[in-house]
Amino acid sequence: MRSIMLILSLSLFLNARAFGAIAGYHGDARRSGDYIAPGLSWAAARHLRRDAGFDGRVSGNVYAQPLYWHGMIIVATESDEVDALDAGTGRAIWRVRLGAPTRGSALPCGDIDPVGVTGTPVIDPARGALYLAAMVKRGGQPRYLVFGLRLSDGKVLPGWPIDARQALRREGIAFNPLIQGQRSALALLDNRVFIAFGGRDGDCGPYHGIVLGIGTDPPAPAAAWKTRGVKGGIWAPGGISAANGALFFTTGNTSGARRWADGEGVFRLGPNLTRASNPRDFFAPANWRTLDDDDLDMSGVDPLPIDLPGAHRLLALGKDGDAYLLNRDDLGGIGGQIAIRHVADSEIITAPAFFPEGNRVLVAYQAGGALCPNGGSGGIAALAVTATSLAPAWCAPFDGRGSPIVTTTDGHSDPIVWAVGTRGDGRLHAYRGDTGAPLYASRSPIPGMAPFITILPADGRLYVAASGRITAFTWSGR
């Protein structure tokens, strides 16, 4: 019975579009960023325009990806506010304030001010619920609270919120909200919601990489995992991916580790988060200590579960610009990759997207110095992945640090890679997914975008979140 429920839970999340939803970061549990957008062909992309009829106002900075639920755009902000906006007009349908966010001056380090909701929430389509983690000031102290909200009206569901510190204490894990950060997207599997924690910008204090699992029916702490070594944060925007009933995540640099202590790692865990001791269930590069010493985290990018003919694979990308192809069923332990390739001459720290092309998969990723097939480098690129190899497919100019997505008109036709130039030119860009040829760049920048922001395709539009506002682009005749 338990295995049936696990498969059902994962199936509901993977097929959330059938419920009229985009339920989590990059559209599915694998974090593929691969969306179907009917009518958005290569030709239509060249004529994209801002939708003047959409006026989406929110309160606060937006780091989390907006989600979509039956005609509503769900937006969570650093002001600890959650807004449900009409997907056609931007009009507020409901709005809930979770509490007071924490000022940056109250924290020992960090680059977000104030701190409220940073990690992308997740929708439970079967229950019509939204789960999110928020830093909320209560009793004069910052706390991380995990909320369950009813999607129909934003009301807090019975049994929520759950205090992360108290939940982790029950699992025997000490947790200090002042030094722990929550940037990664939440995940849902086997009637549990999973929240990953790392540190803050500046790497202050003896934080750990931590995953907390909370049961959703009834709401209660269910499981937890943490790095054995100090630090080793989990902070990729995509957070935890899931495939075949397992959770996958990466960790960052540990501090002072003489022996490997879970830093610079890729992990496969079941929903009970039992620590993996078998090398089949974890991977770390052979040079993990050098990566530790040079702060070249593996944890800037969520691992991508990729299916190829007759093969389950996992792709991991590091801040050092290296890509690792892993066997998803046997991660291989230390240095156990199938293939490794240097694919960028600068940090890779945004969330890639991937889509099938014939008997291979193309992975679109952002990185300054992304390597081109015939030499040179660009700002955005595609990596061709087979069961045994990694090879550059194309690259193109791009100025920014937005996380790419891919759209097709029907699941395979007219693939388009989209990305926004946050911390760069500020524009929305489109490239042919097969060749990288530029298709579109918005005339004017979108102000106020947070780092690593990604795009939501839904309801015949592309939505881009920024400080205080959601901008919509359309390709239809409206």
Side-chain angles (χ1 to χ4, degrees):
M1 177 60 72
R2 177 178 171 81
S3 62
I4 294 173
M5 288 301 297
L6 186 150
I7 294 169
L8 177 60
S9 175
L10 181 58
S11 175
L12 288 173
F13 186 81
L14 288 171
N15 298 298
R17 289 179 184 82
F19 289 78
I22 292 175
Y25 190 87
H26 269 192
D28 55 39
R30 295 172 185 258
R31 311 305 195 200
S32 72
D34 184 7
Y35 299 90
I36 295 175
L40 186 49
S41 63
W42 292 330
R46 294 187 176 95
H47 303 288
L48 199 74
R49 65 187 186 283
R50 295 199 188 201
D51 185 352
F54 182 89
D55 185 18
R57 308 290 181 96
V58 297
S59 174
N61 299 321
V62 184
Y63 280 69
Q65 176 193 302
L67 303 176
Y68 178 77
W69 175 259
H70 292 295
M72 297 189 298
I73 305 299
I74 309 297
V75 187
T77 80
E78 297 290 353
S79 295
D80 274 337
E81 184 175 285
V82 184
D83 294 85
L85 307 178
D86 183 281
T89 65
R91 176 183 59 85
I93 297 173
W94 54 257
R95 179 168 291 153
V96 61
R97 187 75 183 272
L98 303 174
T102 299
R103 302 301 311 183
S105 58
L107 301 171
C109 65
D111 60 350
I112 300 174
D113 187 15
V115 180
V117 180
T118 307
T120 298
V122 64
I123 287 173
D124 184 341
R127 291 184 172 84
L130 178 78
Y131 305 115
L132 67 150
M135 179 164 251
V136 176
K137 202 169 185 181
R138 288 198 175 178
Q141 296 296 320
R143 304 183 185 189
Y144 273 112
L145 302 181
V146 183
F147 286 85
L149 304 181
R150 190 165 58 198
L151 278 163
S152 59
D153 57 11
K155 300 292 186 184
V156 178
L157 291 167
W160 303 90
I162 289 176
D163 188 308
R165 184 174 190 172
Q166 294 175 5
L168 287 163
R169 183 183 299 152
R170 287 183 50 175
E171 301 296 323
I173 295 176
F175 180 84
N176 182 353
L178 295 175
I179 59 174
Q180 298 277 174
Q182 205 292 302
R183 171 177 259 169
S184 294
L186 277 62
L188 188 66
L189 181 64
D190 194 24
N191 295 314
R192 295 177 180 182
V193 60
F194 296 91
I195 308 96
F197 294 92
R200 302 190 182 280
D201 185 72
D203 245 14
C204 58
Y207 66 86
H208 284 262
I210 292 173
V211 180
L212 170 63
I214 297 176
T216 58
D217 186 20
W225 180 96
K226 80 165 186 175
T227 54
R228 291 170 295 167
V230 177
K231 301 186 179 180
I234 304 165
W235 58 274
I240 303 170
S241 55
N244 305 109
L247 302 166
F248 299 89
F249 60 88
T250 55
T251 58
N253 59 288
T254 45
S255 177
R258 299 290 183 180
R259 296 182 178 180
W260 184 70
D262 302 328
E264 315 294 359
V266 180
F267 294 86
R268 177 182 63 191
L269 299 181
N272 58 6
L273 300 182
T274 300
R275 174 169 297 280
S277 58
N278 191 319
R280 296 176 60 88
D281 296 320
F282 64 84
F283 164 80
N287 65 337
W288 65 266
R289 185 173 293 175
T290 300
L291 299 182
D292 261 8
D293 292 343
D294 294 341
D295 190 24
L296 293 173
D297 295 11
M298 291 288 290
S299 65
V301 179
D302 51 284
L304 305 178
I306 292 172
D307 286 336
L308 291 153
H312 289 163
R313 294 294 180 256
L314 196 73
L315 183 72
L317 297 157
K319 278 174 69 175
D320 62 348
D322 284 350
Y324 303 86
L325 181 64
L326 309 176
N327 179 349
R328 197 163 76 236
D329 301 322
D330 181 357
L331 296 180
I334 307 295
Q337 70 273 359
I338 295 170
I340 180 173
R341 183 141 191 170
H342 190 67
V343 298
D345 285 334
S346 69
E347 297 177 339
I348 307 176
I349 51 176
T350 60
F354 64 92
F355 58 103
E357 187 195 62
N359 63 352
R360 63 182 189 172
V361 166
L362 294 188
V363 178
Y365 64 100
Q366 181 280 321
L371 301 189
C372 302
N374 299 315
S377 60
I380 194 167
L383 182 67
V385 181
T386 71
T388 59
S389 68
L390 304 170
W394 56 257
C395 73
F398 176 71
D399 178 19
R401 281 199 167 178
S403 295
I405 65 162
V406 178
T407 61
T408 60
T409 57
D410 57 8
H412 58 85
S413 302
D414 288 17
I416 302 173
V417 173
W418 300 87
V420 286
T422 177
R423 290 201 171 174
D425 67 9
R427 302 174 190 274
L428 173 63
H429 294 265
Y431 307 87
R432 278 184 56 148
D434 58 346
T435 66
L439 292 172
Y440 171 82
S442 58
R443 292 183 179 180
S444 56
I446 304 166
M449 289 186 295
F452 319 135
I453 206 73
T454 193
I455 301 157
L456 172 69
D459 202 54
R461 298 172 179 84
L462 301 179
Y463 299 92
V464 180
S467 176
R469 181 184 292 273
I470 309 300
T471 300
F473 294 80
T474 184
W475 59 92
S476 68
R478 60 169 68 90

